[in-house]
Amino acid sequence: MTPTNATSSRTRPVPAHARATRAQDLLTLTKPSIIVLAMVTATGGAMLDGRPMAGWRLVATLVGTGLLVAAAAALNQLLERRTDALMTRTARRPLPEGRVTPAFVLGMGLSLGAAGALTLFAAVNALTAALGAFALVSYVLIYTPLKRRTSFALVVGAVPGALPALMGWTAKTGRIGVPGLVLFGILFLWQLPHFIAIASYLKEDYARGGIRVAPLTQGDRVARIEAVTAAAALWLVSLLLVPLGGAGPIYFVGALVLGAAFVAYGALGLRRSAGARWARSYFLASLAYLPALTGVLALDLWAR
């Protein structure tokens, strides 16, 4: 190759499809849908106090929370890259297919995590930053490796998954309070039926990856009883916001109806005829339940 050709090769523009693929890979690593969910729940936590919150502080809370969630998603995929390669639903992710290197993802995850924690510490408060850092560390270093050892990992992982709601409250108030803890409890309990439903209709895939989920370790019926029990507890906890003064009658009616429907549909999974189709539909129902409950809460707070 002549020097001229070498220069031409180095300056050749990256094809548009390659740039699009890299952008898509970065999005896959950070899981935007989970980031949005965390931001919504953090906003809900900030709304509960009832007093106005400075716009810049809310933005900083959402940015810092989003960065930490993105970091957790990337580092989780880094640690699970070999497991992901064994599972149909995750085998096409960037790391199993070698489209990005582990070193790149490690640097990306650590950078995002540091940026998120520093944003919360500098622009919000130390308590919210500490909760965010704990959520990141516990998700990556405790929950992720525990998934291959015990189905109880779901309960452990639900803690960092629910912390954005409490972080919204602490960002607003600077302290941990009962309404914020109730919202944390709602998010914590919601994750149990949500992920049991996923595990129920994808249990063969989880078995290939060596992930210990309740339908594999305890059987479908026990796992579904646990899902319905958690849904019932979620229903009761969601109503606690009313007597605590965090919500009013609009939210009460909405939470009552939504919770009853979610529990009833979960109970259908206890029938002998219920199979993977029910599990998938219950998973979709869980995806509808949480935004609906959040929307009812927002409407109630706006009306007050």
Side-chain angles (χ1 to χ4, degrees), residues 91-142:
R92 300 297 303 275
R93 285 178 175 175
L95 277 163
E97 290 206 328
R99 297 195 303 272
V100 294
T101 66
F104 171 81
V105 178
L106 176 61
M108 172 184 169
L110 293 177
S111 298
L112 289 170
L118 287 173
T119 297
L120 293 175
F121 182 79
V124 184
N125 57 51
L127 176 58
T128 305
L131 290 173
F134 173 77
L136 173 61
V137 172
S138 61
Y139 185 87
V140 174
L141 297 184
I142 301 177

Side-chain angles (χ1 to χ4, degrees), residues 46-162:
M47 290 166 51
L48 278 182
D49 184 55
R51 295 174 298 174
M53 183 178 186
W56 63 268
R57 184 181 290 273
L58 178 60
V59 170
T61 301
L62 299 183
V63 169
T65 301
L67 289 170
L68 286 168
V69 172
L75 294 172
N76 170 264
Q77 291 180 64
L78 172 65
L79 294 179
E80 292 195 322
R81 62 190 184 278
R82 294 183 179 86
T83 297
D84 285 348
L86 301 174
M87 300 170 62
T88 302
R89 73 183 186 93
T90 56
R92 300 297 303 275
R93 285 178 175 175
L95 277 163
E97 290 206 328
R99 297 195 303 272
V100 294
T101 66
F104 171 81
V105 178
L106 176 61
M108 172 184 169
L110 293 177
S111 298
L112 289 170
L118 287 173
T119 297
L120 293 175
F121 182 79
V124 184
N125 57 51
L127 176 58
T128 305
L131 290 173
F134 173 77
L136 173 61
V137 172
S138 61
Y139 185 87
V140 174
L141 297 184
I142 301 177
Y143 166 67
T144 297
L146 201 61
K147 289 162 67 176
R148 296 181 64 84
R149 296 178 177 273
T150 173
S151 59
F152 186 73
L154 170 58
V155 177
V156 175
V159 173

Side-chain angles (χ1 to χ4, degrees), residues 128-276:
T128 305
L131 290 173
F134 173 77
L136 173 61
V137 172
S138 61
Y139 185 87
V140 174
L141 297 184
I142 301 177
Y143 166 67
T144 297
L146 201 61
K147 289 162 67 176
R148 296 181 64 84
R149 296 178 177 273
T150 173
S151 59
F152 186 73
L154 170 58
V155 177
V156 175
V159 173
L163 277 174
L166 182 58
M167 290 165 62
W169 169 269
T170 61
K172 178 74 165 294
T173 65
R175 58 183 175 82
I176 293 176
V178 174
L181 289 172
V182 170
L183 195 58
F184 167 86
I186 291 172
L187 267 293
F188 175 86
L189 290 167
W190 170 81
Q191 291 174 84
L192 305 185
H194 173 75
F195 284 109
I196 288 174
I198 296 175
S200 293
Y201 79 85
L202 292 176
K203 62 181 179 180
E204 290 82 7
D205 213 19
Y206 281 109
R208 282 190 291 271
I211 303 296
R212 309 277 289 177
V213 293
L216 291 174
T217 61
Q218 302 173 32
D220 283 328
R221 184 164 182 80
V222 172
R224 292 177 183 188
I225 290 173
E226 291 175 349
V228 176
T229 302
L234 167 62
W235 186 21
L236 295 176
V237 171
S238 71
L239 297 175
L240 288 178
L241 284 178
V242 178
L244 290 172
I250 295 175
Y251 171 82
F252 177 77
V253 173
L256 189 67
V257 172
L258 289 169
F262 194 48
V263 172
Y265 197 72
L268 294 178
L270 302 180
R271 300 172 301 168
R272 292 186 181 277
S273 58

